[in-house]
Amino acid sequence: MPDLTIIVPTYNERDNVAVLVDRLAAALDGLDWSALFVDDNSPDGTAEAVDAIAKHNPRVACLKRIGRRGLSSAVIEGMQQTTAPYLAVMDADLQHDETVLPKMLDALKQGGTELVAASRYMAGGGMEGWPKVRRMISRTATGLTNLVLKSTPRLTDPMSGFFMIRREVFEEVGPKLSGTGFKILLDFFLSANRPLVFQEVPFTFRPRHMGESKLDVRVSLELVELLAERTVGRIVPVKFILFTAVGAIGVGVHLGVLGIAIEGFALAFNIAQILAIWVAMTSNFFLNNIVTFRDSPLVGGAALLKGLLSFYVACSLGAVVNFAVAAFVFDMLALWALAGFTGAVAGAVWNYATTSAFTWKRHKQ
Ligand code: GDD
Ligand code: MN
């Protein structure tokens, strides 16, 4: 059983893994360490690259996940597979300075400290080659996060993806982790029901070695979701808020198109209603793909087109429900806005139920 296991989440990091293993070997010389890569079935063959190393290097192994994505959830699953008393989390792209690892391990071994986080924002730390704007965004996000995070004293870099813990911390907090998004360190602090005893060590965040970053709008939304889950989420489930928000935007689009078609183009109510249903359906598809179902989104032209068509099919009965309810209300009251609104709400309930199972295949998750 190794003393220290480094969990390395990977997605399309084929050209980084061998260099990382070499650097770990150099930095951890004399220590009893192992590295567990957790790969989400990367199309570039990252898992094969790790397996090729594992064949002749018993310190290295790869855990493969199929049909799932996510940095934090990968780290959690990796930790579950380990038995080492000390666990580190580190990116595969060489941005995290591996020479800091022995210092982190020493700090934990001295006793008392449960977690050591590597920080870009304390004296001695930094970011190599970051433009001013990116520094500002990162600082602002850090400030906002610290508002939610009430740990005292404050973490200087709660968004860091580079840290080490005692295994007992994982055993205690692991079952409560949210697993949403990129911010696994933050997740530990937000999910522990008590202040964790931590230390910070400075490091310089290096430029990515090979490949591309996976941080995008979706991942940023996940940070907002993680923070929401641990604040307002205690009262109302965040998924419910998201569904309602997307639904509300869909109803807004529907009524907008309906209004323009009737008031602007003098279309008959039923024709305008069909047009509004089609536009709202299309915009809801794209919105749901990036917001509601961002944990299993459809990507690429072919998948999107197929998804859109299946979304139309899945929504067709909802559209009929929408149309029928609206026509009924319009017949009775002759108020286009009220009729359109009632129809859209009736259709939306049906649509969520069918598309979540059909278009995004949630049951496979
Ligand atoms: N298994 C798995 N699944 N791994 C993933 C996934 C995923 O869906 N997405 C990203 N990773 C892996 C990457 O392959 C990489 O090894 C690591 O997670 C970090 O991803 P990057 O795409 O390089 O993220 P970044 O450099 O923009 O952000 C990193 O640094 C920030 C600052 O410290 C992350 O560690 C952030 O959490 C951190 O805030
Ligand atoms: Mn990176």
Side-chain angles (χ1 to χ4, degrees):
M1 171 175 110
D3 204 27
L4 167 67
T5 295
I6 299 140
I7 313 285
V8 187
T10 56
Y11 192 76
N12 287 347
E13 304 286 359
R14 184 190 59 211
D15 299 326
N16 292 322
V17 291
V19 193
L20 178 64
V21 171
D22 287 347
R23 293 216 187 176
L24 287 175
L28 301 171
D29 188 35
L31 293 171
D32 186 10
W33 63 278
S34 75
L36 178 61
F37 290 83
V38 187
D39 186 66
D40 287 352
N41 201 20
S42 300
D44 77 342
T46 303
E48 288 78 0
V50 177
D51 282 346
I53 301 168
K55 265 188 203 152
H56 57 83
N57 186 343
R59 294 188 190 277
V60 175
C62 186
L63 174 67
K64 294 146 196 140
R65 305 200 305 167
I66 310 258
R68 270 165 300 164
R69 276 294 307 273
L71 195 167
S72 290
S73 65
V75 168
I76 295 169
E77 274 182 55
M79 287 186 171
Q80 276 165 342
Q81 300 299 309
T82 62
T83 48
Y86 300 99
L87 304 171
V89 177
M90 188 179 190
D91 292 350
D93 55 7
L94 309 184
Q95 295 197 270
H96 292 159
D97 181 358
E98 68 288 341
T99 61
V100 179
L101 286 166
K103 251 188 263 172
M104 297 165 98
L105 186 61
D106 278 346
L108 288 184
K109 285 194 167 174
Q110 267 158 26
T113 304
E114 303 177 284
L115 183 154
V116 182
S119 166
R120 297 165 288 178
Y121 296 127
M122 67 192 288
M127 286 91 79
E128 237 172 75
W130 275 33
K132 261 219 164 72
V133 181
R134 189 159 172 209
R135 276 170 204 268
M136 262 171 54
I137 295 173
S138 179
R139 285 246 179 213
T140 311
T142 303
L144 284 178
T145 305
N146 260 330
L147 287 181
V148 176
L149 196 66
K150 293 177 205 86
S151 72
T152 31
R154 295 215 156 160
L155 278 164
T156 60
D157 193 357
M159 321 278 253
S160 173
F162 187 23
F163 62 98
M164 196 184 286
I165 56 170
R166 292 176 164 277
R167 137 149 253 109
E168 299 84 70
V169 177
F170 176 66
E171 263 150 30
E172 178 192 329
V173 185
K176 294 183 231 149
L177 292 170
S178 127
T180 303
F182 258 41
K183 307 303 173 187
I184 179 72
L185 173 67
L186 184 60
D187 204 350
F188 267 96
F189 278 88
L190 290 173
S191 306
N193 288 334
R194 60 178 183 86
L196 296 173
V197 185
F198 70 92
Q199 278 184 40
E200 290 184 295
V201 292
F203 85 108
T204 301
F205 193 69
R206 296 185 291 224
R208 167 177 266 278
H209 182 55
M210 303 290 266
E212 285 166 10
S213 169
K214 282 92 211 171
L215 198 124
D216 54 13
V217 182
R218 212 178 314 130
V219 170
S220 314
L221 268 176
E222 281 170 348
L223 171 61
V224 176
E225 188 180 345
L226 175 65
L227 293 175
E229 246 172 47
R230 300 295 143 156
T231 48
V232 293
R234 293 181 208 274
I235 306 159
V236 188
V238 174
K239 278 268 182 224
F240 178 74
I241 299 173
L242 279 178
F243 294 149
T244 316
V246 171
I249 294 173
V251 174
V253 168
H254 182 100
L255 288 182
V257 174
L258 196 63
I260 292 169
I262 292 177
E263 304 294 341
F265 292 88
L267 292 187
F269 178 77
N270 283 351
I271 306 285
Q273 177 70 358
I274 290 174
L275 188 70
I277 289 174
W278 177 70
V279 175
M281 219 153 71
T282 308
S283 87
N284 264 15
F285 169 77
F286 288 102
L287 218 52
N288 274 318
N289 198 46
I290 58 164
V291 180
T292 314
F293 298 101
R294 67 187 184 293
D295 47 358
S296 50
L298 303 167
V299 266
L304 278 173
L305 187 65
K306 209 175 132 211
L308 181 62
L309 293 179
S310 94
F311 187 78
Y312 284 156
V313 173
C315 288
S316 56
L317 205 61
V320 172
V321 170
N322 181 338
F323 184 83
V325 170
F328 178 73
V329 176
F330 188 69
D331 244 17
M332 304 237 313
L333 300 170
L335 294 172
W336 68 258
L338 182 66
F341 179 77
T342 323
V345 170
V349 174
W350 165 271
N351 287 343
Y352 172 66
T354 45
T355 62
S356 63
F358 196 53
T359 304
W360 283 276
K361 303 190 168 59
R362 294 279 293 178
H363 55 274
K364 276 197 185 157
Q365 287 298 304

